[in-house]
Amino acid sequence: MFQKVSDTSSPQGVIAVVKTPELSPEILKSGKYIALENLNDPSNLGAISRTAEALGVSGIILSKDSVDPYSPKSLRASMGTLLRMPIIVLDDFVNTIKNSGLAVYACVVDSDATPITNVSFDKG
């Protein structure tokens, strides 16, 4: 029975039935967020969430067509971060972020890009 309800080929021997956290509906103007649009890989979400938590980010914003933050793969990759960090899922990703009042920075892999260590994120 255990192997039938487990989603991995080598389960760790523990299964829990839990209520998923409520999605956070509000973007705080004083907050610092990682916004991810069309993210499809649950392992990437998990890794990004761990880094976001380590950097003191207020929450994660996802577009509605992104991966489920509470899928088993997302949760495993996040090592629990996705259960501790507020998650906001937006129907109108671009316009909501544009109208949030937050400063917006885009990450681009480019030799001319400003290194993230040279950017001040003092304000939301």
Side-chain angles (χ1 to χ4, degrees), residues 71-94:
S71 74
K73 277 190 175 183
S74 297
L75 290 173
R76 260 194 315 277
S78 81
M79 300 179 88
T81 294
L82 292 170
L83 298 172
R84 293 186 295 271
M85 182 168 284
I87 306 292
I88 301 166
V89 178
L90 300 177
D91 289 329
D92 188 356
F93 186 83
V94 173

Side-chain angles (χ1 to χ4, degrees), residues 29-95:
K29 287 188 174 39
S30 61
K32 295 177 179 124
Y33 299 90
I34 299 284
L36 304 165
E37 185 177 20
N38 304 324
L39 188 66
N40 293 317
D41 186 331
S43 296
N44 286 345
L45 177 58
I48 291 167
S49 71
R50 291 193 322 267
T51 302
E53 184 177 44
L55 293 172
V57 169
S58 307
I60 296 174
I61 301 172
L62 296 171
S63 60
K64 69 177 176 182
D65 52 358
S66 290
V67 66
D68 177 4
Y70 302 118
S71 74
K73 277 190 175 183
S74 297
L75 290 173
R76 260 194 315 277
S78 81
M79 300 179 88
T81 294
L82 292 170
L83 298 172
R84 293 186 295 271
M85 182 168 284
I87 306 292
I88 301 166
V89 178
L90 300 177
D91 289 329
D92 188 356
F93 186 83
V94 173
N95 285 322

Side-chain angles (χ1 to χ4, degrees), residues 105 113-121:
Y105 301 89
T114 302
I116 195 166
T117 53
N118 294 351
V119 178
S120 172
F121 295 106

